[in-house]
Amino acid sequence: MSLSLDTRKNAFPGIKVLRALYASRLFRTVFTIVVLVGIWQVIAVLKDTSYLVPRPIGFDFDVPHSSVLAAGWHSMTINSPTQDPLWSHALISIRRALIGYFAAIAVAVPIGMIAAWWKAIDDTAGSFIELVRPIPALALIPIAIIWFGFGEVAKVAIIGYACFFSIYINTHAGVRNVDPLFIRVMKVYGRGQWDILTKVVFYSMLPYAFTGARYAAAIALILLVAVELVGAQDGLGFSLARAQQVLATTEVYFIIVLFGAIGFVFNWAVLFAERRVIKWRQEVDAQV
Amino acid sequence: MATAIEINNLTVKFGDLVALHDVSLTVEQHEFVVLLGPSGCGKTTMLSVLANLLTPAGGEAKLHRFADGGKGKNFGYVFQQAALLPWFSVMKNITLGLAAIGTPKAEAERIAQEYINLLNLTGFEKAYPHQLSGGMQQRVGLARALAIDPEVLLMDEPFGALDAQTRVLLQEELLRIWERDRKTVLFVTHSIEEAVLLADRVVVLTARPGVVKAIVDIDVPRPRSTRDVQAAARFAELEAELWGLVRDEAVKALNV
């Protein structure tokens, strides 16, 4: 055992560096991205069908169709009276998603708590929510447009509506999973309903609500794209549709990657908030 | 001496299951009474009724009040597990009961600090429960019960979940604190050794349905410590006597 270890140590001096790199989580992530983009680049160069699979990397920034990177540079820095740069569309989209998302949290958490806590409300309002939940939110886009027109309200409402359910369901489950022991503790020490709700139920359901909020972050982006593809004059979804219509494949790819990046940051932000808020939990470390 | 706890013909049922049947018991003020019996004999049930967590099917269980006319709770409760709220610090867990009896925040924290020091928890005021060992968690549970300065302490196998060494240390700590003002205690356990070490009187309950089988006076002088008590010849006799009473019931409980 020790013999083989020694030979490995002597065999290749760079092995220590490689091991240190392998142990670094950042390196693992970056390495994966580099490999995947590399494969994409190789395929694109070999096939040379830029309108189907454009090259991801290329430094001919004056020609937007030469690579996804160039298209990104071009669309972000565009400076013309007829067309806004892509980042301004991105901001509009992010704003829509966030308003809908936070509105959903503000509504779903209290309703989820109330419905899970009081049987009468669960049997009435809760049942109604379960009844409409299976309807895909996408199917409600036409109704939202009929009700609210093509303005911001319809878009935000659809996003918020779709986000509502995952937060609601998880909050509801969280309340139902409160340890009865803690409720006994509160009763024994003379605390009433309100204290039980705010000092026990609320905290026990928080981790569940955060799980729901992470799902909802992904759902918000899906619905964002949908509402902007269907009826918008601005935003990333609108830019995506327009790029496709003029066969600007590189820009299409760039916007898709941008959506991915926004989703990644969104998810990370929710995780970050969760770690900040829920400090009392003992976390289990993943295997190295 | 005045009566602190009065239980008259108490019967508790869970559906068709009779947990306690016609139990009567009186505990005097400043008395340390241990309820001893096999698991499932209704020891915890009796505490729950006293703490108003359960409504009995018959009879009554009363806690008498002495000092104040009765704002807030006159009993402290120590649970089997420490039962600390994981999202609150040690300090906030201990002040939990104080706020309910109307103690202002600053005053509550001063009192809590006193009990934190008394139970050797100094420096852990801001720690979360998961950062503490099992023994420390249960000390916080004890501090929470003591902080409201209750007439009566109800203790439900408070050291049952601890390892043997921690258990001995906490038993001695409890004795040390109890000697200060000799609060009335009703203490549930299934450990005969613990019962003899702590109690003035041991109430032996039968297997389900719980009925008072015998009451044994523990005539071992106080203040006691684990080592003194174990060395005393009287200790062995009492242990043997209690084991004789409990054994049949434990066998019955196993075969249910």
Side-chain angles (χ1 to χ4, degrees):
Chain A
M1 194 57 196
S2 62
L3 191 75
S4 66
L5 244 161
D6 284 344
T7 38
R8 268 209 295 180
K9 220 181 247 171
N10 295 335
F12 179 44
I15 196 98
K16 260 191 179 169
V17 181
L18 280 180
R19 276 201 190 143
L21 281 176
Y22 177 71
S24 150
R25 294 189 61 199
L26 179 68
F27 174 78
R28 290 184 190 178
T29 308
V30 173
F31 179 77
T32 309
I33 294 170
V34 168
V35 167
L36 290 179
V37 174
I39 291 170
W40 178 5
Q41 181 86 358
V42 168
I43 291 170
V45 169
L46 288 179
K47 298 294 282 185
D48 198 28
T49 46
S50 64
Y51 62 96
L52 290 179
V53 184
R55 296 174 190 193
I57 309 291
F59 299 98
D60 197 355
F61 288 127
D62 297 331
V63 188
H65 300 307
S66 63
S67 72
V68 174
L69 196 66
W73 172 260
H74 183 78
S75 56
M76 280 297 204
T77 58
I78 215 163
N79 193 9
S80 89
T82 54
Q83 208 183 334
D84 292 324
L86 199 60
W87 61 262
S88 69
H89 289 286
L91 283 184
I92 289 166
S93 291
I94 290 168
R95 193 168 154 265
R96 272 174 196 150
L98 286 183
I99 293 174
Y101 179 73
F102 282 111
I105 291 176
V107 176
V109 170
I111 291 185
M113 278 183 75
I114 290 167
W117 194 244
W118 282 286
K119 191 118 201 69
I121 293 175
D122 205 27
D123 292 343
T124 50
S127 310
F128 172 73
I129 291 168
E130 288 304 315
L131 217 61
V132 294
R133 191 164 69 89
I135 303 168
L138 291 170
L140 296 176
I141 292 177
I143 297 250
I145 290 171
I146 291 169
W147 279 10
F148 303 115
F150 284 93
E152 288 300 297
V153 181
K155 298 178 183 67
V156 168
I158 285 290
I159 293 168
Y161 176 85
C163 288
F164 171 87
F165 295 101
S166 82
I167 302 166
Y168 168 84
I169 286 169
N170 281 283
T171 303
H172 196 282
V175 172
R176 283 291 162 84
N177 274 300
V178 172
D179 191 336
L181 176 65
F182 297 144
I183 294 171
R184 279 168 63 96
V185 170
M186 295 302 278
K187 283 186 178 161
V188 154
Y189 283 98
R191 296 306 193 90
Q193 275 290 298
W194 176 252
D195 281 339
I196 290 173
L197 268 177
T198 54
K199 293 191 167 61
V200 171
V201 176
F202 176 74
Y203 288 97
S204 336
M205 81 63 204
L206 260 186
Y208 291 82
F210 266 108
T211 304
R214 276 177 71 195
Y215 280 115
I219 292 167
L221 281 196
I222 294 171
L223 270 294
L224 172 73
V225 177
V227 294
E228 286 187 344
L229 283 176
V230 171
Q233 301 307 312
D234 48 19
L236 279 184
F238 162 77
S239 307
L240 184 64
R242 197 194 47 195
Q244 177 251 317
Q245 281 153 17
V246 299
L247 276 180
T249 315
T250 49
E251 198 179 333
V252 168
Y253 272 81
F254 181 76
I255 294 171
I256 290 169
V257 170
L258 201 56
F259 269 123
I262 291 169
F264 181 84
V265 171
F266 201 170
N267 184 59
W268 178 86
V270 181
L271 269 180
F272 180 79
E274 183 176 352
R275 292 234 172 94
R276 267 302 173 86
V277 172
I278 300 168
K279 285 179 290 192
W280 62 84
R281 225 171 15 176
Q282 206 167 6
E283 292 228 7
V284 178
D285 288 330
Q287 292 296 303
V288 192
Chain B
M1 259 211 251
T3 305
I5 303 173
E6 213 182 323
I7 298 170
N8 294 320
N9 311 101
L10 182 70
T11 300
V12 179
K13 290 179 184 167
F14 298 107
D16 292 335
L17 186 103
V18 182
L20 286 171
H21 181 69
D22 202 23
V23 171
S24 294
L25 175 69
T26 311
V27 178
E28 302 297 321
Q29 202 182 359
H30 303 306
E31 204 181 7
F32 199 127
V33 171
V34 169
L35 293 175
L36 182 69
S39 30
C41 74
K43 299 172 299 222
T44 303
T45 306
M46 210 187 288
L47 292 195
S48 297
V49 173
L50 285 167
N52 291 322
L53 292 172
L54 273 179
T55 316
E60 56 171 4
K62 279 193 299 203
L63 292 171
H64 290 276
R65 285 176 187 276
F66 299 100
D68 59 14
K71 67 169 177 180
K73 292 282 170 183
N74 57 344
F75 65 89
Y77 200 110
V78 184
F79 291 81
Q80 225 164 61
Q81 309 96 331
L84 307 176
L85 303 184
W87 37 84
F88 286 157
S89 65
V90 166
M91 176 61 88
K92 263 195 117 172
N93 266 291
I94 297 176
T95 56
L96 195 75
L98 286 163
I101 56 173
T103 315
K105 193 172 179 246
E107 173 70 358
E109 286 188 354
R110 193 192 58 73
I111 295 170
Q113 189 65 50
E114 205 176 288
Y115 285 96
I116 285 169
N117 298 343
L118 181 69
L119 284 149
N120 300 319
L121 291 160
T122 316
F124 289 94
E125 293 82 357
K126 289 187 179 130
Y128 286 109
H130 84 260
Q131 295 167 310
L132 307 179
S133 67
M136 289 174 87
Q137 287 183 15
Q138 195 50 283
R139 293 217 288 268
V140 178
L142 191 53
R144 179 173 63 189
L146 291 169
I148 57 174
D149 194 23
E151 300 280 357
V152 175
L153 267 180
L154 303 174
M155 305 184 78
D156 183 9
E157 287 192 50
F159 309 141
L162 302 173
D163 64 86
Q165 286 151 25
T166 311
R167 187 176 190 157
V168 170
L169 292 177
L170 277 183
Q171 284 166 349
E172 297 202 326
E173 217 156 328
L174 176 64
L175 279 176
R176 170 175 68 86
I177 291 161
W178 185 77
E179 288 293 346
R180 298 189 330 156
D181 49 7
R182 300 207 170 193
K183 280 190 192 308
T184 314
V185 179
L186 190 57
F187 187 107
V188 162
T189 187
H190 56 245
S191 157
I192 292 169
E193 206 182 327
E194 190 167 70
V196 176
L197 172 67
L198 299 173
D200 292 322
R201 281 195 296 156
V202 175
V203 177
V204 181
L205 294 172
T206 61
R208 187 179 296 144
V211 175
V212 176
K213 184 175 187 180
I215 296 179
V216 178
D217 285 315
I218 305 298
D219 46 2
V220 176
R222 293 185 188 271
R224 301 173 189 163
S225 79
T226 322
R227 283 176 63 182
D228 297 348
V229 169
Q230 280 171 347
R234 185 72 188 122
F235 177 78
E237 288 171 26
L238 286 165
E239 228 184 15
E241 187 185 344
L242 285 171
W243 177 236
L245 289 164
V246 166
R247 199 192 132 82
D248 295 344
E249 303 307 325
V251 170
K252 261 190 259 170
L254 264 182
N255 295 336
V256 163

